[in-house]
Amino acid sequence: MAEPLFRRLALIGIGHIGSSVARIAREGGEIAAEVVASARTQKTLDRVMELGIADRVERDPGRAVAGADCVMLCAPVGTYADLAAAIAPHLAPGAILTDVGSTKQSVIRDVGPLVPEGVHFVPAHPLAGTEYSGPDSGFVSLFRDRWCLLTPPPGTDEDAVERIAELWRRCGAMIERMEPNHHDRVLAIVSHLPHLIAFTICGTADDLADESRGQVLKFAASGFRDFTRIAASDPVMWRDIFLNNREALLEMLARFLEDAQAMARAVRWGDERYIEDKVERGRKIRRSLIELRQA
Ligand code: NAP
């Protein structure tokens, strides 16, 4: 077994993502010799101790990070500015501060200026997750064969970047480096817009008269069901993602609306070729995903 990468890993937020990292650290011991966890509520921390996925829990994030050589923010991105201000005075010199947030420009904007001299800041985003949340929902294989994107600001210590890359490799992930603004645009189209559409379509169905709503749920198997799975995600997490990737999301939404209008026009005028072509492109994308083992 490899030596643990870090002496002490502090997880600030231990829900779906944080508890998956904690489970991996506990199971193999190759990430960190010791795991300390912090969360917003005592209920979550009590549950973490019951599950036995951390060595110690601390309600106060400052106490949780003291003496840790790696600190990972795993809370909703809207909490990052306050959390960074709370932990900054307690971060150990030489420690690496990283995160798992789904938006990257906002994280660099909110956390970057608060990182003390001598602490390395390596923003990251594992592209893995389900619609479940909380410490019970994590599992050790969550990141296996998934991408983890690293968006270190210019001038970041290369050793620190490599150690975070290695942490995610030991979680089973594949690594790619990206510019933060590119990350936010790519994620807007592959993740944030699909969620926006799923929440919207479920809302539209829910607004229909009671009778039709019953029918929607009864016959949901036809495609609506897949939207409801995506729409079951955590409201606070998604509110924070939308508000912290506002520009890219609105740009992708505008493009989508144009394309949806074009499809509406094709349907109105019976443009068979246009409709077939779009469906065929969808099938091709699905086949490529399967080939890339990301389906
Ligand atoms: P989650 O299951 O809802 O867990 C969130 C955790 O953050 C909980 O432990 C919660 O504590 C804690 N928390 C909330 N507000 C806090 C605060 N003010 N101070 C300290 N802790 C706080 O969420 P998740 O799915 O793990 O997502 C966490 C992060 O990962 C988010 O930034 C998200 O964008 C990112 N991410 C999520 C996914 C996904 O699919 N789920 C994928 C990739 C990245 P309590 O339980 O006590 O409220």
Side-chain angles (χ1 to χ4, degrees), residues 12-18 38-41 44 74-77 79-80 83 100-102 125-126 128-130 132-134 234 237 241:
I12 309 301
I14 180 153
H16 188 53
I17 301 294
S38 185
R40 192 174 49 95
T41 63
T44 292
C74 301
V77 290
T79 65
Y80 276 21
L83 282 174
V100 298
S102 306
H125 179 200
T130 71
Y132 299 108
S133 52
D234 186 69
M237 179 180 125
I241 292 172

Side-chain angles (χ1 to χ4, degrees), residues 33-96:
E34 187 189 1
V35 176
V36 181
S38 185
R40 192 174 49 95
T41 63
Q42 190 58 42
K43 187 168 165 251
T44 292
L45 295 180
D46 291 345
R47 184 62 187 144
V48 165
M49 287 314 277
E50 262 171 41
L51 290 167
I53 54 176
D55 296 281
R56 185 156 60 81
V57 292
E58 293 284 356
R59 194 64 193 283
D60 175 359
R63 286 175 64 100
V65 305
D69 50 350
C70 184
V71 173
M72 189 183 281
L73 300 177
C74 301
V77 290
T79 65
Y80 276 21
D82 287 348
L83 282 174
I87 62 173
H90 307 278
L91 291 167
I96 301 178

Side-chain angles (χ1 to χ4, degrees), residues 172-202:
M174 305 173 291
I175 308 298
E176 190 146 318
R177 268 168 98 139
M178 233 182 223
E179 290 292 318
N181 67 338
H182 185 59
H183 167 280
D184 286 0
R185 283 172 59 82
V186 170
L187 267 292
I189 189 71
V190 301
S191 169
H192 307 168
L193 181 62
H195 276 83
L196 184 149
I197 292 169
F199 299 135
T200 308
I201 210 165
C202 287

